[in-house]
Amino acid sequence: MRLAITKSLSPGARLGKDIYNEQGHILLCEGLTLTQKMIARLVSLNIPLVYIQDSRTDDIIPMPPVSGNLRREAINRIETTFLGMKNEMNLDGSFTMEQANVKFTKIVRNIMDELNRNNVLLTLLADVYTYDDYIFTHSFNVTLYTLAIGMELNINNKNLEILGLGAILHDVGKMLIPLEILHKPGKLTEKEFEQIQKHADYGFHLIKNVHTVSLLVANCAYQHHERLDGCGISTWNKRG
C-alpha cells in the first residue's frame, strides 16, 4: 500500500487501511472501493492523506507507533481535561492544572513505554483518523513525534517527561480564545488573527503559575511558534 493525497484520489481507488473517527469507530473499511462522494466526504473531514492499495507496494505494511487504544485514551483524556480547564481557568493560574499535570504525566509515560517496547521507526501516518477535534488530536500527535525525536536523541527520561508535557500543553492557550474565532471556517479578520496570535502568551501564563510544573513546559507553550531568528509567529497564517 502507499500514501495518497486525498484531494488527488480518483474514484475506483481501494483503501489500504481502515479509517477511524476519534472514538475509534471505523468509518470506511480496508479494501473499500472509493466513489467520488466518499472522496469528497474524506476531504470535508479534513483527512489529508489515506493509504490505498497498490500492487507496486504490496510489501509495504506500515506499523502504528502506539496502539489504537492508547491513542484514543490519550486524546479523550486531553479533550476532557482541556475542556474542564476551559471552564475554570484564568490567567492567574487558579485552575485545575495541578490535576492535569498528574494525568498528562501518565499519558507521556505510557507513550514512552509503547515507543520503547515497539522499537519501530515512526511512520508519517500509521492509522487514518478524522480531525474534527483538531486541538486535541494535534496535541497528541505533537507529543508522539516530540517524544520519538527526544528518544532518538537519547534524552533522559526525566527531561523526556518535561518535553512530553510541553508538547501536550503547547496549545493550551487556545482554550482562552473564543470558540467563534477558533473554529471559524472562513478567513480571519485582522482583529481575530491578532487574538489567535495571543494563544502562545496565554499558554505561558497559564502554566508558569503552577509550581509543580517545570517552567520549561511553560516555555514550550510560549516559544512553539518562534522563528529561527527569535521573532514572529511562524506557522499560524490567516485562513482563506
Side-chain angles (χ1 to χ4, degrees):
M1 67 183 73
R2 64 179 175 85
L3 274 174
I5 298 173
T6 308
K7 291 181 179 179
S8 299
L9 290 173
S10 298
R14 293 171 64 86
L15 279 181
K17 296 197 74 173
D18 296 332
I19 296 177
Y20 302 86
N21 63 17
E22 286 300 343
Q23 288 70 47
H25 302 139
I26 294 177
L27 295 179
L28 296 176
C29 296
E30 175 185 340
L32 183 68
T33 300
L34 295 174
T35 65
Q36 187 59 53
K37 185 176 181 179
M38 292 176 183
I39 294 169
R41 180 59 174 160
L42 292 175
V43 172
S44 72
L45 290 173
N46 300 316
I47 299 177
L49 300 164
V50 297
Y51 284 105
I52 62 169
Q53 295 180 6
D54 189 325
S55 59
R56 298 169 295 179
T57 53
D58 280 344
D59 58 334
I60 299 177
I61 304 176
M63 299 298 296
V66 297
S67 68
N69 286 338
L70 174 56
R71 179 188 175 90
R72 290 189 294 274
E73 177 187 354
I75 292 175
N76 286 336
R77 176 75 68 177
I78 291 169
E79 179 177 6
T80 55
T81 304
F82 271 35
L83 291 178
M85 291 162 59
K86 180 179 177 64
N87 293 331
E88 301 179 29
M89 67 170 57
N90 53 56
L91 288 178
D92 67 6
S94 59
F95 57 98
T96 59
M97 185 64 80
E98 296 280 354
Q99 294 87 342
N101 181 34
V102 174
K103 295 174 183 177
F104 289 152
T105 298
K106 182 179 178 180
I107 290 174
V108 169
R109 290 173 179 170
N110 287 342
I111 294 173
M112 290 167 56
D113 286 344
E114 289 213 9
L115 289 175
N116 275 319
R117 186 163 54 249
N118 291 341
N119 194 28
V120 295
L121 290 174
L122 224 56
T123 57
L124 172 64
L125 186 67
D127 287 310
V128 179
Y129 289 78
T130 60
Y131 291 88
D132 290 332
D133 299 323
Y134 169 76
I135 293 176
F136 316 120
T137 302
H138 176 66
S139 296
F140 172 81
N141 288 335
V142 169
T143 304
L144 179 63
Y145 288 98
T146 298
L147 288 173
I149 293 170
M151 293 168 71
E152 184 67 21
L153 294 173
N154 294 316
I155 296 175
N156 64 56
N157 284 350
K158 180 180 179 181
N159 286 331
L160 276 175
E161 287 186 8
I162 294 173
L163 186 64
L165 283 172
I168 286 182
L169 292 168
H170 79 280
D171 261 349
V172 71
K174 288 181 180 175
M175 294 296 97
L176 291 175
I177 304 297
L179 288 178
E180 61 270 21
I181 296 177
L182 200 60
H183 298 308
K184 184 176 179 179
K187 184 177 180 179
L188 297 175
T189 66
E190 291 289 339
K191 186 175 182 180
E192 289 169 340
F193 186 60
E194 288 175 3
Q195 185 73 1
I196 284 284
Q197 288 179 309
K198 295 178 181 178
H199 78 276
D201 191 55
Y202 288 162
F204 174 76
H205 287 285
L206 287 168
I207 300 169
K208 78 177 182 67
N209 293 316
V210 183
H211 300 299
T212 57
V213 179
S214 169
L215 186 60
L216 292 173
V217 175
N219 283 329
C220 287
Y222 188 63
Q223 295 177 295
H224 73 278
H225 282 300
E226 183 178 345
R227 291 194 180 109
L228 290 175
D229 63 2
C231 67
I233 288 184
S234 59
T235 58
W236 252 94
N237 298 316
K238 297 180 185 179
R239 288 166 290 180

